[in-house]
Amino acid sequence: MKISFIGAGSIAEAMIAGLIEKNICNRENICITNRNNKLKMTELEEKFGISTTYDMNELIHNADMVIFAVKPKDANEALDKIRPYISENTFFVSVMAGISIEFITDKLKTNCAIARAMPNTSASVGKSATAITFNPFASNRQKEMALSIFSAIGITEEVEERQMDAITALSGSGPAYFYYMVEAMERAAEQFGLEKDTSNKLIIQTLLGAAEMLSVSGKKAADLRQEVTSPGGTTEAGISVLQQTEMQEAFVACIQAAYEQSKQLGIMYESKIT
Ligand SMILES: NC(=O)C1=CN([C@@H]2O[C@H](COP(=O)(O)OP(=O)(O)OC[C@H]3O[C@@H](n4cnc5c(N)ncnc54)[C@H](OP(=O)(O)O)[C@@H]3O)[C@@H](O)[C@H]2O)C=CC1
Ligand SMILES: O=C(O)[C@@H]1CCC=N1
């Protein structure tokens, strides 16, 4: 199988790391390009043993899947660049936030198979939570291929395209919310004068353990929280501060803002169709 990437940033690199770890295809059959950052190309060649090229024909020709991973603001220019190399046989997989399949179809001017996917950077360790949707030109074989590739680097849910902005806000951006919370825990640990290595290990294991409990216990988050919260105890004292500061409301507003921004990215950059 040949998988090509257009865009060599955070998400492409996370996906490649995960795909290589799972031995999905020969390293040389993963090919990648970026706009002009040659240093990054060399770095990726050395790190992963994958192929790099600025020749769009080489990149797209015979690729079973072309994964499009540029920023929404660069979509117009990048789609213009690759249009001459796209045919009805191309399977185009966009991971861009906010940008619709309709926009991509209009830009590519070809009835090729298109998937819109939203993975996250935990793909790098095989733990992405990916949502995916397909246009009507995607064959069963192409759908199965995309599902198998994304499932190799995490879990995959097939969804309707109208759900993509919400999912982008929830699980696309999601890892960052947890990292942000960990940053706060690190600050607290530092203020207590705890040894950094020790506190980091404890924080990470706490996060992993809580995620595992949510995954396997079959209990709701609210019930698991109650189990930790002894009346008159430490957790109650801590959580009451989070309640006073309306932390849950802030979190909901955070995800709402990410959702609005995903919609806005579509409105902003799709209006520039040329
Ligand atoms: N980061 C994340 O967690 C996630 C990101 N996404 C989506 O993935 C996309 C990429 O995000 P991310 O990886 O963070 O972005 P980065 O900024 O890290 O990388 C963007 C890449 O696109 C390349 N690029 C820009 N213009 C062109 C062009 N005309 N032709 C070829 N390559 C080009 C850049 O090349 P150069 O460096 O040479 O300019 C760079 O390699 C976005 O649309 C984002 O919404 C989706 C899920 C998660
Ligand atoms: O922040 C962003 O726009 C991208 C999309 C989801 C995660 N990162």
Side-chain angles (χ1 to χ4, degrees):
M1 191 188 323
K2 181 180 169 192
I3 305 173
S4 292
F5 284 84
I6 297 167
S10 313
I11 195 63
E13 189 166 348
M15 289 182 66
I16 290 166
L19 290 171
I20 285 178
E21 177 66 27
K22 289 284 156 64
N23 243 324
I24 284 296
C25 61
N26 289 336
R27 290 163 187 258
E28 318 82 63
N29 287 339
I30 298 179
C31 191
I32 192 162
T33 197
N34 60 12
R35 182 167 30 202
N36 52 20
N37 187 345
K38 291 195 177 128
L39 197 66
K40 181 74 186 181
M41 295 283 93
T42 310
E43 197 185 297
L44 292 173
E45 281 172 14
E46 285 169 2
K47 185 170 176 190
F48 296 117
I50 59 174
S51 318
T52 65
T53 185
Y54 285 107
D55 178 341
M56 292 302 120
N57 190 40
E58 183 189 335
L59 186 85
I60 294 168
H61 187 62
N62 284 340
D64 294 288
M65 213 169 155
V66 176
I67 301 179
F68 193 72
V70 311
K71 295 274 190 212
K73 72 175 175 58
D74 297 318
N76 222 346
E77 183 195 316
L79 288 168
D80 280 342
K81 182 170 74 178
I82 63 169
R83 184 190 303 124
Y85 307 94
I86 301 287
S87 73
E88 286 190 1
N89 298 325
T90 309
F91 181 27
F92 189 89
V93 180
S94 165
V95 298
M96 287 185 293
I99 304 296
S100 67
I101 289 179
E102 189 185 1
F103 172 80
I104 295 166
T105 310
D106 286 350
K107 288 292 296 178
L108 293 179
K109 298 187 179 11
T110 312
N111 288 335
C112 67
I114 300 176
R116 178 175 167 189
M118 183 45 58
N120 67 35
T121 48
S122 305
S124 165
V125 291
K127 300 279 186 199
S128 175
T130 302
I132 192 163
T133 190
F134 300 93
N135 77 350
F137 298 109
S139 67
N140 285 339
R141 193 189 67 82
Q142 287 165 325
K143 286 184 186 178
E144 276 163 25
M145 185 168 55
L147 292 172
S148 77
I149 280 173
F150 282 106
S151 299
I153 53 173
I155 65 153
T156 314
E157 290 287 323
E158 201 173 336
V159 300
E160 289 178 30
E161 190 174 14
R162 63 181 172 78
Q163 299 173 304
M164 275 298 196
D165 293 316
I167 288 165
T168 299
L170 202 65
S171 53
S173 299
Y177 310 148
F178 292 104
Y179 298 140
Y180 195 62
M181 190 181 68
V182 168
E183 288 175 58
M185 293 176 85
E186 287 169 352
R187 262 173 60 186
E190 197 181 340
Q191 281 173 19
F192 289 130
L194 294 176
E195 207 257 315
K196 207 172 177 170
D197 268 7
T198 307
S199 59
N200 278 353
K201 277 188 211 153
L202 294 172
I203 292 169
I204 293 166
Q205 182 63 17
T206 302
L207 210 64
L208 284 171
E212 188 79 2
M213 287 292 283
L214 283 165
S215 174
V216 302
S217 71
K219 295 179 184 173
K220 290 180 183 158
D223 294 335
L224 289 169
R225 172 163 63 86
Q226 279 310 323
E227 287 175 12
V228 189
T229 312
S230 312
T234 59
T235 317
E236 191 178 83
I239 295 277
S240 81
V241 173
L242 294 181
Q243 284 166 343
Q244 281 159 34
T245 54
E246 301 194 334
M247 186 265 194
Q248 275 199 354
E249 286 72 13
F251 226 88
V252 172
C254 150
I255 295 167
Q256 183 72 33
Y259 164 73
E260 297 297 344
Q261 183 65 5
S262 182
K263 286 203 299 185
Q264 196 55 34
L265 288 170
I267 293 165
M268 262 192 309
Y269 297 113
E270 292 186 2
S271 62
K272 291 184 183 161
I273 298 183
T274 49

